Amino acid sequence: MRIGVDVGGTNIAVGLVDENGKIIATGSRPAEPKRGYAAIAKDIAEISLELIKRCGLDISDVESMGIGVPGVADNEKGIVLRAVNLYWTKVPLVKEIHKYIDIPINMDNDANVAALAEGIFGAGKGTNSSVTITLGTGVGSGFILNGKVFNGAHHFAPELGHIVLGDNGVMCNCGKIGCFETYASATALIREGKKVAMKDSNSLILKLAGGEIESITAKNVIDAAKQFDEAAMMIFNDYVKYLAMGIVNIINILDPEVIIIGGGVANAGDFLLKPLKEEVSKNILFKDLPYADIKKAELGNDAGIIGASIL
């Protein structure tokens, strides 16, 4: 057995996970980050011990603990270097948890551990190299190379959402213009959907949002495109084009076995994946050679706990 911990700005989720990546038991508590890291470390330990007891096990039955954090972690030193939403800077999280529970502990960024879960037990099962891209408010990403998380020399790779595709005049939250996530996030679909709605009060996108511009979601845009709404189809086709551009760049750099698409936009399923694969195939460098398959993520919200457990 292993313990997987998914630390977020809202909740701390802990799971007891077996060797096949199956979650046996889970527990959670509100994060309430302003309490400080020591309180969160104590919660992690207490929930873990509760789960072990609930399953009729002993601490000796648990091989290790893994933790996914929403920030930058130095696993070798056991320190969270930066986690903005938790108000953490250079936090000795492993040392603090070891006050309560004495097992090996590993840490990494939450997107990386979710990618590890998908690569080992999810859509990438059976592969040694995979890239997971999460299409949500931003564009998250994780690389699994030779069966292990790759997070770079300074622990903050990969940040695919902030590679620059071009000058689209849209400023990213990071301060740059034209980041990948300004083209390929759910936020990008919402932004373009609102533009259409502001110009056309009869827009299907606006109708699907209940007539409220500020209520427009990425799903509204996608659903309108599914109904062959011309404006929504233009937005969606551009979205696919730029998402494919980013994926072709990844393939050219890393040549992974599989690229896994997760996040809310991935719920569009084949409506997204089919044209995405076609667009990638048109722009791939070596058309006569095999290249990465593109698949939908499989593990959903469980990926954080499962991936952390196998760090």
Side-chain angles (χ1 to χ4, degrees), residues 134-169:
T134 306
L135 307 174
T137 303
V139 173
S141 55
F143 295 168
I144 307 304
L145 304 179
N146 297 320
K148 295 182 179 181
V149 171
F150 175 80
N151 61 7
H154 304 98
H155 316 293
F156 62 76
E159 286 289 352
L160 288 182
H162 299 289
I163 61 173
V164 176
L165 289 192
D167 186 357
N168 59 354

PDB file of all heavy atoms in Angstrom, residues 134-169:
ATOM      1  N   THR A 134      -3.745  19.398 -19.712  1.00  0.00           N
ATOM      2  CA  THR A 134      -5.028  19.642 -19.063  1.00  0.00           C
ATOM      3  C   THR A 134      -5.587  20.973 -19.542  1.00  0.00           C
ATOM      4  O   THR A 134      -4.977  22.028 -19.348  1.00  0.00           O
ATOM      5  CB  THR A 134      -4.869  19.672 -17.529  1.00  0.00           C
ATOM      6  OG1 THR A 134      -4.232  18.459 -17.111  1.00  0.00           O
ATOM      7  CG2 THR A 134      -6.218  19.767 -16.854  1.00  0.00           C
ATOM      8  N   LEU A 135      -6.759  20.909 -20.185  1.00  0.00           N
ATOM      9  CA  LEU A 135      -7.378  22.095 -20.773  1.00  0.00           C
ATOM     10  C   LEU A 135      -8.479  22.589 -19.849  1.00  0.00           C
ATOM     11  O   LEU A 135      -9.613  22.110 -19.878  1.00  0.00           O
ATOM     12  CB  LEU A 135      -7.953  21.747 -22.154  1.00  0.00           C
ATOM     13  CG  LEU A 135      -6.971  21.092 -23.134  1.00  0.00           C
ATOM     14  CD1 LEU A 135      -7.700  20.670 -24.396  1.00  0.00           C
ATOM     15  CD2 LEU A 135      -5.817  22.025 -23.455  1.00  0.00           C
ATOM     16  N   GLY A 136      -8.133  23.544 -18.998  1.00  0.00           N
ATOM     17  CA  GLY A 136      -9.081  24.110 -18.054  1.00  0.00           C
ATOM     18  C   GLY A 136      -8.997  25.619 -18.091  1.00  0.00           C
ATOM     19  O   GLY A 136      -8.857  26.220 -19.162  1.00  0.00           O
ATOM     20  N   THR A 137      -9.019  26.236 -16.921  1.00  0.00           N
ATOM     21  CA  THR A 137      -8.875  27.693 -16.837  1.00  0.00           C
ATOM     22  C   THR A 137      -7.592  28.132 -17.522  1.00  0.00           C
ATOM     23  O   THR A 137      -7.547  29.151 -18.210  1.00  0.00           O
ATOM     24  CB  THR A 137      -8.867  28.137 -15.370  1.00  0.00           C
ATOM     25  OG1 THR A 137     -10.066  27.680 -14.744  1.00  0.00           O
ATOM     26  CG2 THR A 137      -8.787  29.650 -15.254  1.00  0.00           C
ATOM     27  N   GLY A 138      -6.543  27.348 -17.327  1.00  0.00           N
ATOM     28  CA  GLY A 138      -5.288  27.526 -18.049  1.00  0.00           C
ATOM     29  C   GLY A 138      -4.984  26.249 -18.812  1.00  0.00           C
ATOM     30  O   GLY A 138      -5.870  25.435 -19.083  1.00  0.00           O
ATOM     31  N   VAL A 139      -3.726  26.067 -19.177  1.00  0.00           N
ATOM     32  CA  VAL A 139      -3.276  24.822 -19.798  1.00  0.00           C
ATOM     33  C   VAL A 139      -2.204  24.225 -18.899  1.00  0.00           C
ATOM     34  O   VAL A 139      -1.098  24.761 -18.797  1.00  0.00           O
ATOM     35  CB  VAL A 139      -2.719  25.054 -21.221  1.00  0.00           C
ATOM     36  CG1 VAL A 139      -2.105  23.779 -21.766  1.00  0.00           C
ATOM     37  CG2 VAL A 139      -3.832  25.539 -22.153  1.00  0.00           C
ATOM     38  N   GLY A 140      -2.544  23.149 -18.209  1.00  0.00           N
ATOM     39  CA  GLY A 140      -1.593  22.437 -17.362  1.00  0.00           C
ATOM     40  C   GLY A 140      -0.913  21.332 -18.145  1.00  0.00           C
ATOM     41  O   GLY A 140      -1.396  20.919 -19.206  1.00  0.00           O
ATOM     42  N   SER A 141       0.203  20.835 -17.626  1.00  0.00           N
ATOM     43  CA  SER A 141       0.922  19.805 -18.371  1.00  0.00           C
ATOM     44  C   SER A 141       1.842  19.003 -17.466  1.00  0.00           C
ATOM     45  O   SER A 141       2.253  19.479 -16.403  1.00  0.00           O
ATOM     46  CB  SER A 141       1.744  20.439 -19.499  1.00  0.00           C
ATOM     47  OG  SER A 141       2.607  21.450 -18.983  1.00  0.00           O
ATOM     48  N   GLY A 142       2.153  17.804 -17.910  1.00  0.00           N
ATOM     49  CA  GLY A 142       3.117  16.961 -17.216  1.00  0.00           C
ATOM     50  C   GLY A 142       3.780  16.023 -18.201  1.00  0.00           C
ATOM     51  O   GLY A 142       3.134  15.526 -19.133  1.00  0.00           O
ATOM     52  N   PHE A 143       5.082  15.798 -18.024  1.00  0.00           N
ATOM     53  CA  PHE A 143       5.850  14.897 -18.887  1.00  0.00           C
ATOM     54  C   PHE A 143       6.245  13.648 -18.102  1.00  0.00           C
ATOM     55  O   PHE A 143       6.766  13.763 -16.982  1.00  0.00           O
ATOM     56  CB  PHE A 143       7.151  15.540 -19.373  1.00  0.00           C
ATOM     57  CG  PHE A 143       6.990  16.733 -20.267  1.00  0.00           C
ATOM     58  CD1 PHE A 143       8.089  17.527 -20.559  1.00  0.00           C
ATOM     59  CD2 PHE A 143       5.762  17.061 -20.825  1.00  0.00           C
ATOM     60  CE1 PHE A 143       7.966  18.640 -21.386  1.00  0.00           C
ATOM     61  CE2 PHE A 143       5.633  18.179 -21.655  1.00  0.00           C
ATOM     62  CZ  PHE A 143       6.744  18.964 -21.932  1.00  0.00           C
ATOM     63  N   ILE A 144       6.014  12.489 -18.680  1.00  0.00           N
ATOM     64  CA  ILE A 144       6.556  11.246 -18.143  1.00  0.00           C
ATOM     65  C   ILE A 144       7.540  10.713 -19.178  1.00  0.00           C
ATOM     66  O   ILE A 144       7.153  10.366 -20.302  1.00  0.00           O
ATOM     67  CB  ILE A 144       5.444  10.209 -17.873  1.00  0.00           C
ATOM     68  CG1 ILE A 144       4.342  10.813 -17.000  1.00  0.00           C
ATOM     69  CG2 ILE A 144       6.043   8.961 -17.220  1.00  0.00           C
ATOM     70  CD1 ILE A 144       4.810  11.381 -15.687  1.00  0.00           C
ATOM     71  N   LEU A 145       8.807  10.680 -18.816  1.00  0.00           N
ATOM     72  CA  LEU A 145       9.858  10.225 -19.724  1.00  0.00           C
ATOM     73  C   LEU A 145      10.572   9.039 -19.103  1.00  0.00           C
ATOM     74  O   LEU A 145      11.022   9.102 -17.955  1.00  0.00           O
ATOM     75  CB  LEU A 145      10.851  11.366 -19.997  1.00  0.00           C
ATOM     76  CG  LEU A 145      10.238  12.659 -20.556  1.00  0.00           C
ATOM     77  CD1 LEU A 145      11.319  13.713 -20.756  1.00  0.00           C
ATOM     78  CD2 LEU A 145       9.503  12.394 -21.859  1.00  0.00           C
ATOM     79  N   ASN A 146      10.664   7.948 -19.849  1.00  0.00           N
ATOM     80  CA  ASN A 146      11.252   6.707 -19.344  1.00  0.00           C
ATOM     81  C   ASN A 146      10.596   6.263 -18.027  1.00  0.00           C
ATOM     82  O   ASN A 146      11.251   5.783 -17.116  1.00  0.00           O
ATOM     83  CB  ASN A 146      12.766   6.855 -19.150  1.00  0.00           C
ATOM     84  CG  ASN A 146      13.485   7.131 -20.461  1.00  0.00           C
ATOM     85  OD1 ASN A 146      13.149   6.547 -21.490  1.00  0.00           O
ATOM     86  ND2 ASN A 146      14.439   8.039 -20.435  1.00  0.00           N
ATOM     87  N   GLY A 147       9.279   6.452 -17.962  1.00  0.00           N
ATOM     88  CA  GLY A 147       8.514   5.986 -16.811  1.00  0.00           C
ATOM     89  C   GLY A 147       8.593   6.857 -15.581  1.00  0.00           C
ATOM     90  O   GLY A 147       8.062   6.500 -14.532  1.00  0.00           O
ATOM     91  N   LYS A 148       9.258   8.027 -15.686  1.00  0.00           N
ATOM     92  CA  LYS A 148       9.422   8.890 -14.516  1.00  0.00           C
ATOM     93  C   LYS A 148       9.000  10.330 -14.834  1.00  0.00           C
ATOM     94  O   LYS A 148       9.065  10.772 -15.980  1.00  0.00           O
ATOM     95  CB  LYS A 148      10.883   8.889 -14.051  1.00  0.00           C
ATOM     96  CG  LYS A 148      11.364   7.535 -13.548  1.00  0.00           C
ATOM     97  CD  LYS A 148      12.804   7.627 -13.067  1.00  0.00           C
ATOM     98  CE  LYS A 148      13.293   6.283 -12.528  1.00  0.00           C
ATOM     99  NZ  LYS A 148      14.689   6.355 -12.043  1.00  0.00           N
ATOM    100  N   VAL A 149       8.579  11.037 -13.793  1.00  0.00           N
ATOM    101  CA  VAL A 149       8.233  12.443 -13.954  1.00  0.00           C
ATOM    102  C   VAL A 149       9.476  13.244 -14.345  1.00  0.00           C
ATOM    103  O   VAL A 149      10.542  13.088 -13.754  1.00  0.00           O
ATOM    104  CB  VAL A 149       7.663  13.024 -12.633  1.00  0.00           C
ATOM    105  CG1 VAL A 149       7.514  14.536 -12.741  1.00  0.00           C
ATOM    106  CG2 VAL A 149       6.318  12.383 -12.302  1.00  0.00           C
ATOM    107  N   PHE A 150       9.328  14.088 -15.352  1.00  0.00           N
ATOM    108  CA  PHE A 150      10.397  15.029 -15.693  1.00  0.00           C
ATOM    109  C   PHE A 150       9.951  16.417 -15.262  1.00  0.00           C
ATOM    110  O   PHE A 150       8.927  16.918 -15.730  1.00  0.00           O
ATOM    111  CB  PHE A 150      10.691  15.029 -17.193  1.00  0.00           C
ATOM    112  CG  PHE A 150      11.699  16.075 -17.594  1.00  0.00           C
ATOM    113  CD1 PHE A 150      13.052  15.855 -17.411  1.00  0.00           C
ATOM    114  CD2 PHE A 150      11.294  17.293 -18.126  1.00  0.00           C
ATOM    115  CE1 PHE A 150      13.988  16.826 -17.749  1.00  0.00           C
ATOM    116  CE2 PHE A 150      12.210  18.268 -18.469  1.00  0.00           C
ATOM    117  CZ  PHE A 150      13.557  18.021 -18.283  1.00  0.00           C
ATOM    118  N   ASN A 151      10.698  17.041 -14.348  1.00  0.00           N
ATOM    119  CA  ASN A 151      10.323  18.383 -13.905  1.00  0.00           C
ATOM    120  C   ASN A 151      11.455  19.398 -14.021  1.00  0.00           C
ATOM    121  O   ASN A 151      11.379  20.488 -13.462  1.00  0.00           O
ATOM    122  CB  ASN A 151       9.768  18.355 -12.472  1.00  0.00           C
ATOM    123  CG  ASN A 151      10.773  17.854 -11.464  1.00  0.00           C
ATOM    124  OD1 ASN A 151      11.944  17.643 -11.787  1.00  0.00           O
ATOM    125  ND2 ASN A 151      10.328  17.650 -10.239  1.00  0.00           N
ATOM    126  N   GLY A 152      12.489  19.046 -14.764  1.00  0.00           N
ATOM    127  CA  GLY A 152      13.530  20.013 -15.086  1.00  0.00           C
ATOM    128  C   GLY A 152      14.590  20.181 -14.013  1.00  0.00           C
ATOM    129  O   GLY A 152      14.501  19.625 -12.916  1.00  0.00           O
ATOM    130  N   ALA A 153      15.596  20.974 -14.339  1.00  0.00           N
ATOM    131  CA  ALA A 153      16.730  21.184 -13.439  1.00  0.00           C
ATOM    132  C   ALA A 153      16.349  21.984 -12.202  1.00  0.00           C
ATOM    133  O   ALA A 153      16.981  21.845 -11.147  1.00  0.00           O
ATOM    134  CB  ALA A 153      17.852  21.907 -14.189  1.00  0.00           C
ATOM    135  N   HIS A 154      15.305  22.804 -12.316  1.00  0.00           N
ATOM    136  CA  HIS A 154      14.944  23.688 -11.204  1.00  0.00           C
ATOM    137  C   HIS A 154      13.533  23.420 -10.685  1.00  0.00           C
ATOM    138  O   HIS A 154      12.934  24.258 -10.028  1.00  0.00           O
ATOM    139  CB  HIS A 154      15.094  25.153 -11.631  1.00  0.00           C
ATOM    140  CG  HIS A 154      16.469  25.469 -12.127  1.00  0.00           C
ATOM    141  ND1 HIS A 154      16.779  25.507 -13.460  1.00  0.00           N
ATOM    142  CD2 HIS A 154      17.627  25.720 -11.457  1.00  0.00           C
ATOM    143  CE1 HIS A 154      18.071  25.789 -13.610  1.00  0.00           C
ATOM    144  NE2 HIS A 154      18.604  25.911 -12.418  1.00  0.00           N
ATOM    145  N   HIS A 155      12.997  22.228 -11.027  1.00  0.00           N
ATOM    146  CA  HIS A 155      11.763  21.691 -10.434  1.00  0.00           C
ATOM    147  C   HIS A 155      10.469  22.340 -10.895  1.00  0.00           C
ATOM    148  O   HIS A 155       9.417  22.035 -10.335  1.00  0.00           O
ATOM    149  CB  HIS A 155      11.825  21.757  -8.895  1.00  0.00           C
ATOM    150  CG  HIS A 155      13.127  21.317  -8.311  1.00  0.00           C
ATOM    151  ND1 HIS A 155      13.566  20.015  -8.374  1.00  0.00           N
ATOM    152  CD2 HIS A 155      14.111  22.013  -7.671  1.00  0.00           C
ATOM    153  CE1 HIS A 155      14.752  19.925  -7.791  1.00  0.00           C
ATOM    154  NE2 HIS A 155      15.104  21.122  -7.370  1.00  0.00           N
ATOM    155  N   PHE A 156      10.494  23.214 -11.925  1.00  0.00           N
ATOM    156  CA  PHE A 156       9.223  23.843 -12.295  1.00  0.00           C
ATOM    157  C   PHE A 156       8.744  23.485 -13.705  1.00  0.00           C
ATOM    158  O   PHE A 156       7.729  24.011 -14.181  1.00  0.00           O
ATOM    159  CB  PHE A 156       9.286  25.369 -12.137  1.00  0.00           C
ATOM    160  CG  PHE A 156      10.291  26.071 -12.997  1.00  0.00           C
ATOM    161  CD1 PHE A 156      10.054  26.277 -14.341  1.00  0.00           C
ATOM    162  CD2 PHE A 156      11.474  26.544 -12.443  1.00  0.00           C
ATOM    163  CE1 PHE A 156      10.973  26.935 -15.135  1.00  0.00           C
ATOM    164  CE2 PHE A 156      12.402  27.207 -13.228  1.00  0.00           C
ATOM    165  CZ  PHE A 156      12.155  27.409 -14.572  1.00  0.00           C
ATOM    166  N   ALA A 157       9.437  22.572 -14.384  1.00  0.00           N
ATOM    167  CA  ALA A 157       8.977  22.137 -15.707  1.00  0.00           C
ATOM    168  C   ALA A 157       7.886  21.074 -15.548  1.00  0.00           C
ATOM    169  O   ALA A 157       7.819  20.401 -14.525  1.00  0.00           O
ATOM    170  CB  ALA A 157      10.155  21.560 -16.495  1.00  0.00           C
ATOM    171  N   PRO A 158       7.047  20.875 -16.578  1.00  0.00           N
ATOM    172  CA  PRO A 158       6.915  21.705 -17.769  1.00  0.00           C
ATOM    173  C   PRO A 158       5.817  22.749 -17.593  1.00  0.00           C
ATOM    174  O   PRO A 158       4.879  22.540 -16.843  1.00  0.00           O
ATOM    175  CB  PRO A 158       6.521  20.686 -18.831  1.00  0.00           C
ATOM    176  CG  PRO A 158       5.685  19.691 -18.086  1.00  0.00           C
ATOM    177  CD  PRO A 158       6.264  19.607 -16.686  1.00  0.00           C
ATOM    178  N   GLU A 159       5.965  23.851 -18.277  1.00  0.00           N
ATOM    179  CA  GLU A 159       4.931  24.888 -18.282  1.00  0.00           C
ATOM    180  C   GLU A 159       4.492  25.133 -19.729  1.00  0.00           C
ATOM    181  O   GLU A 159       4.720  26.193 -20.299  1.00  0.00           O
ATOM    182  CB  GLU A 159       5.464  26.172 -17.645  1.00  0.00           C
ATOM    183  CG  GLU A 159       5.601  26.127 -16.139  1.00  0.00           C
ATOM    184  CD  GLU A 159       4.260  26.119 -15.409  1.00  0.00           C
ATOM    185  OE1 GLU A 159       3.223  26.295 -16.075  1.00  0.00           O
ATOM    186  OE2 GLU A 159       4.259  25.930 -14.177  1.00  0.00           O
ATOM    187  N   LEU A 160       3.868  24.116 -20.315  1.00  0.00           N
ATOM    188  CA  LEU A 160       3.455  24.229 -21.712  1.00  0.00           C
ATOM    189  C   LEU A 160       2.489  25.381 -21.928  1.00  0.00           C
ATOM    190  O   LEU A 160       2.460  25.982 -23.002  1.00  0.00           O
ATOM    191  CB  LEU A 160       2.782  22.927 -22.177  1.00  0.00           C
ATOM    192  CG  LEU A 160       3.671  21.711 -22.376  1.00  0.00           C
ATOM    193  CD1 LEU A 160       2.843  20.548 -22.877  1.00  0.00           C
ATOM    194  CD2 LEU A 160       4.793  22.007 -23.355  1.00  0.00           C
ATOM    195  N   GLY A 161       1.689  25.678 -20.910  1.00  0.00           N
ATOM    196  CA  GLY A 161       0.725  26.764 -21.047  1.00  0.00           C
ATOM    197  C   GLY A 161       1.364  28.093 -21.345  1.00  0.00           C
ATOM    198  O   GLY A 161       0.697  29.011 -21.834  1.00  0.00           O
ATOM    199  N   HIS A 162       2.676  28.199 -21.082  1.00  0.00           N
ATOM    200  CA  HIS A 162       3.345  29.494 -21.234  1.00  0.00           C
ATOM    201  C   HIS A 162       4.418  29.501 -22.310  1.00  0.00           C
ATOM    202  O   HIS A 162       5.243  30.416 -22.351  1.00  0.00           O
ATOM    203  CB  HIS A 162       3.888  29.945 -19.881  1.00  0.00           C
ATOM    204  CG  HIS A 162       2.790  30.110 -18.874  1.00  0.00           C
ATOM    205  ND1 HIS A 162       1.878  31.131 -18.948  1.00  0.00           N
ATOM    206  CD2 HIS A 162       2.424  29.336 -17.833  1.00  0.00           C
ATOM    207  CE1 HIS A 162       1.006  30.998 -17.966  1.00  0.00           C
ATOM    208  NE2 HIS A 162       1.306  29.920 -17.287  1.00  0.00           N
ATOM    209  N   ILE A 163       4.398  28.476 -23.195  1.00  0.00           N
ATOM    210  CA  ILE A 163       5.165  28.633 -24.422  1.00  0.00           C
ATOM    211  C   ILE A 163       4.374  29.611 -25.300  1.00  0.00           C
ATOM    212  O   ILE A 163       3.146  29.659 -25.246  1.00  0.00           O
ATOM    213  CB  ILE A 163       5.405  27.293 -25.152  1.00  0.00           C
ATOM    214  CG1 ILE A 163       4.082  26.644 -25.569  1.00  0.00           C
ATOM    215  CG2 ILE A 163       6.223  26.342 -24.294  1.00  0.00           C
ATOM    216  CD1 ILE A 163       4.246  25.406 -26.433  1.00  0.00           C
ATOM    217  N   VAL A 164       5.066  30.420 -26.067  1.00  0.00           N
ATOM    218  CA  VAL A 164       4.400  31.462 -26.857  1.00  0.00           C
ATOM    219  C   VAL A 164       4.195  30.974 -28.287  1.00  0.00           C
ATOM    220  O   VAL A 164       5.142  30.598 -28.970  1.00  0.00           O
ATOM    221  CB  VAL A 164       5.222  32.766 -26.841  1.00  0.00           C
ATOM    222  CG1 VAL A 164       4.566  33.817 -27.738  1.00  0.00           C
ATOM    223  CG2 VAL A 164       5.351  33.295 -25.416  1.00  0.00           C
ATOM    224  N   LEU A 165       2.915  30.966 -28.721  1.00  0.00           N
ATOM    225  CA  LEU A 165       2.597  30.521 -30.080  1.00  0.00           C
ATOM    226  C   LEU A 165       2.652  31.672 -31.079  1.00  0.00           C
ATOM    227  O   LEU A 165       2.909  31.462 -32.254  1.00  0.00           O
ATOM    228  CB  LEU A 165       1.206  29.888 -30.130  1.00  0.00           C
ATOM    229  CG  LEU A 165       1.029  28.527 -29.460  1.00  0.00           C
ATOM    230  CD1 LEU A 165      -0.322  27.930 -29.856  1.00  0.00           C
ATOM    231  CD2 LEU A 165       2.142  27.559 -29.826  1.00  0.00           C
ATOM    232  N   GLY A 166       2.352  32.869 -30.636  1.00  0.00           N
ATOM    233  CA  GLY A 166       2.341  34.012 -31.550  1.00  0.00           C
ATOM    234  C   GLY A 166       1.773  35.223 -30.856  1.00  0.00           C
ATOM    235  O   GLY A 166       1.427  35.183 -29.680  1.00  0.00           O
ATOM    236  N   ASP A 167       1.660  36.306 -31.588  1.00  0.00           N
ATOM    237  CA  ASP A 167       1.144  37.545 -31.015  1.00  0.00           C
ATOM    238  C   ASP A 167      -0.338  37.687 -31.366  1.00  0.00           C
ATOM    239  O   ASP A 167      -0.697  38.217 -32.407  1.00  0.00           O
ATOM    240  CB  ASP A 167       1.942  38.736 -31.552  1.00  0.00           C
ATOM    241  CG  ASP A 167       1.544  40.042 -30.872  1.00  0.00           C
ATOM    242  OD1 ASP A 167       0.609  40.010 -30.042  1.00  0.00           O
ATOM    243  OD2 ASP A 167       2.153  41.074 -31.172  1.00  0.00           O
ATOM    244  N   ASN A 168      -1.197  37.175 -30.470  1.00  0.00           N
ATOM    245  CA  ASN A 168      -2.638  37.287 -30.691  1.00  0.00           C
ATOM    246  C   ASN A 168      -3.235  38.498 -29.969  1.00  0.00           C
ATOM    247  O   ASN A 168      -4.447  38.688 -29.946  1.00  0.00           O
ATOM    248  CB  ASN A 168      -3.361  36.015 -30.242  1.00  0.00           C
ATOM    249  CG  ASN A 168      -3.138  35.702 -28.766  1.00  0.00           C
ATOM    250  OD1 ASN A 168      -2.364  36.365 -28.088  1.00  0.00           O
ATOM    251  ND2 ASN A 168      -3.800  34.667 -28.287  1.00  0.00           N
ATOM    252  N   GLY A 169      -2.362  39.298 -29.351  1.00  0.00           N
ATOM    253  CA  GLY A 169      -2.824  40.489 -28.665  1.00  0.00           C
ATOM    254  C   GLY A 169      -3.479  40.228 -27.329  1.00  0.00           C
ATOM    255  O   GLY A 169      -3.993  41.148 -26.701  1.00  0.00           O
TER     256      GLY A 169
END
